[in-house]
């Protein structure tokens, strides 16, 4: 391995950018593949790049044989994280569910009555106002953000940061009507249609969820779908 | 699969100090190997190691090869395994096979 490649790898990890180190096991040459660019000792064709990015998306490492080449794809992804705005009833189900699914979980709520350790045992809590909290938490491309408060004075500041962040998922609780009003407010605040379209609302997959735990399940399923599905098929389904 | 290890960072820091280092990476496993694909070990020129590529069963041999790789600059693929029969009989945690890629950082 060239020291320069190692330094690039370390830099990508410090910046929490997903990156894959691809080693040609025949020649020992290596290439570092980012989401949008590749650097290194050998070029990868479209098929190979697609395979590398699939490994990254699935957070897998392993050997692939493409044509005559035997490539080892080593995925270095930042940890998955979910930031929940609103220490509400649904959050009490969503936080442990997300934790089980392998996510680091943070619940943000400046309202002391909601954000108690008794209601969220073992879950990291943040008592800052949501926009400040999200800035503090340095949202990256392996972060999902879900707003659950129903209260524009808490949800909107969170969305203001979330919509211009690299988060892979943004979801907001609320009926179609509630969401319509939210969209109007965001337009007024200067957000573009493309930014607003990032919000999954009504939040969660349509599984006719009723109870808080069922709604949490629908949200978790949708986050999983967005995380794992190929970008092209996600666009087709939207 | 998440990697809590910080082996690339340790290797880069050792390089920055001007030390020779080699990396060993698990590239494939079969059966019940104790460390998943992607697990890493870094070895410096004195033979000191950090990280792991097994439960401790093969680290000695890997360090030896890493020292060789630092000498000749040639990457190598190492294969380790335990006969199935033996593995099942004694119920070894390490009853699988593992392939480790060893390379010097130059």
């Amino acid at each position: 391995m060239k020291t320069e490649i190692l330094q690039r790898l370390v830099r990508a990890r410090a910046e929490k950018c997903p990156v894959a180190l691809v080693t040609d096991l025949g020649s020992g040459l290596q290439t570092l593949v980012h989401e949008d660019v590749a650097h290194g000792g050998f070029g990868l064709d479209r098929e190979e790049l697609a395979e590398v990015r699939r490994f990254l998306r699935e957070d897998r490492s392993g050997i692939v044989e493409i044509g005559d080449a035997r490539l080892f794809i080593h995925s270095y992804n930042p940890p998955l994280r979910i930031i929940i705005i609103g220490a509400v009833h649904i959050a009490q189900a969503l936080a442990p569910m997300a934790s089980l699914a392998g996510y680091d979980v943070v619940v943000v709520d400046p309202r002391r009555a909601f954000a108690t350790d008794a209601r969220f045992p073992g879950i990291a809590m943040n008592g800052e106002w949501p926009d400040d909290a999200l800035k503090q938490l340095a949202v990256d491309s392996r972060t999902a953000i879900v707003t659950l408060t129903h209260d524009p004075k808490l949800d909107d500041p969170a969305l203001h940061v979330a919509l211009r962040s690299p988060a892979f998922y943004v979801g907001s609780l609320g009926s179609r009507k509630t969401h319509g009003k939210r969209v109007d407010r965001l337009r007024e605040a200067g957000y573009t249609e493309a930014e607003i379209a990032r919000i999954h609302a009504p939040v969660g997959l349509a599984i006719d969820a009723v109870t808080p735990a069922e709604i949490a399940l629908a949200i978790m399923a949708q986050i999983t779908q967005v995380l794992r599905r190929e970008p092209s098929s996600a666009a087709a389904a939207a | 699969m998440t990697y809590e290890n910080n082996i690339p960072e340790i290797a880069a820091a050792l390089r920055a100090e001007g030390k020779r280092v080699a990396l060993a990476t698990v590239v494939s496993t079969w059966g019940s190997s104790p460390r998943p694909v992607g697990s890493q070990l870094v070895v410096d020129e004195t033979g000191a190691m950090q990280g792991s590529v097994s439960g401790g069963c093969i680290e000695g041999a890997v360090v030896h090869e890493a020292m060789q790789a630092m000498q000749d600059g040639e990457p190598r693929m190492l294969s380790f395994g335990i006969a199935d029969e033996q593995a099942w009989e004694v119920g070894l945690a390490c009853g699988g096979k593992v392939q480790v890629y060893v390379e010097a950082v130059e």
Side-chain angles (χ1 to χ4, degrees):
Chain A
M1 175 185 280
K2 291 203 162 60
T3 303
E4 191 227 336
I5 294 237
L6 178 65
Q7 287 166 342
R8 279 184 190 276
L9 169 64
V10 167
R11 212 175 310 139
R13 278 161 57 93
E15 289 166 3
K16 295 203 167 187
C17 298
V19 69
L21 177 66
V22 183
T23 304
D24 182 327
L25 294 175
S27 65
L29 291 175
Q30 289 170 318
T31 294
L32 202 58
V33 178
H34 292 251
E35 271 166 336
D36 49 355
V37 64
H39 295 281
F42 66 102
L44 293 160
D45 64 25
R46 260 181 74 181
E47 185 196 348
E48 290 165 337
L49 273 178
E51 187 69 2
V52 171
R53 295 202 167 110
R54 191 166 67 83
F55 266 63
L56 261 180
R57 201 167 51 247
E58 293 172 359
D59 200 20
R60 279 199 296 139
S61 297
I63 296 173
V64 292
E65 296 189 21
I66 301 177
D68 294 337
R70 261 184 106 225
L71 305 177
F72 174 61
I73 302 171
H74 195 167
S75 295
Y76 291 94
N77 271 314
L80 286 167
R81 190 166 49 146
I82 178 166
I83 302 174
I84 303 170
I85 313 297
V88 297
H89 204 169
I90 294 170
Q92 284 181 277
L94 182 57
M97 228 178 250
S99 181
L100 267 179
Y103 288 71
D104 288 342
V105 181
V106 183
V107 175
V108 176
D109 202 320
R111 301 168 299 182
R112 291 252 175 94
F114 286 85
T116 64
D117 287 340
R119 284 162 52 85
F120 292 89
I123 301 288
M125 307 297 289
N126 182 311
E128 299 292 322
W129 210 259
D131 48 351
D132 292 332
L134 288 180
K135 285 176 200 157
Q136 229 175 58
L137 292 166
V139 173
D140 60 53
S141 64
R142 298 263 293 170
T143 303
I145 299 169
V146 185
T147 72
L148 297 177
T149 71
H150 264 132
D151 182 346
K153 110 177 158 288
L154 291 165
D155 281 355
D156 285 12
L159 289 172
H160 289 181
V161 179
L163 294 183
R164 290 180 178 166
S165 78
F168 74 90
Y169 177 93
V170 180
S172 286
L173 186 70
S175 64
R176 278 175 210 287
K177 203 173 140 198
T178 307
H179 185 60
K181 288 184 195 157
R182 178 158 48 215
V183 168
D184 291 342
R185 289 194 306 273
L186 288 168
R187 278 191 192 127
E188 236 164 77
Y191 287 83
T192 66
E193 294 305 313
E195 285 168 339
I196 293 169
R198 292 182 61 194
I199 305 173
H200 289 82
V203 74
L205 292 186
I207 56 169
D208 300 333
V210 174
T211 67
E214 288 171 359
I215 295 166
L217 187 64
I219 296 170
M220 210 53 236
Q222 188 171 48
I223 292 174
T224 308
Q225 183 181 57
V226 172
L227 174 71
R228 299 301 184 197
R229 197 174 252 186
E230 284 187 44
S232 55
S233 59
Chain B
M1 206 186 309
T2 51
Y3 302 108
E4 286 109 358
N5 72 46
N6 52 350
I7 297 303
E9 286 71 23
I10 294 172
L14 290 167
R15 281 300 290 159
E17 289 171 21
K19 289 193 175 132
R20 285 180 168 204
V21 298
L23 282 170
T25 308
V26 176
V27 296
S28 72
T29 63
W30 179 91
S32 58
S33 67
R35 301 286 287 129
V37 170
S39 301
Q40 284 187 309
L41 179 73
V42 56
V43 183
D44 74 12
E45 58 198 16
T46 69
M49 65 170 186
Q50 299 188 64
S52 69
V53 289
S54 79
C57 339
I58 60 172
E59 268 76 1
V62 171
V63 168
H64 177 77
E65 291 292 328
M67 304 289 280
Q68 296 294 317
M70 280 183 249
Q71 293 294 323
D72 62 25
E74 292 294 322
R76 51 256 277 155
M77 184 74 83
L78 313 176
S79 297
F80 300 91
I82 283 184
D84 296 358
E85 215 174 79
Q86 199 184 352
W88 293 124
E89 268 179 21
V90 292
L92 286 177
C94 201
K97 289 181 194 163
V98 56
Q99 275 194 310
V100 178
Y101 186 72
V102 179
E103 60 190 322
V105 181
E106 295 170 316

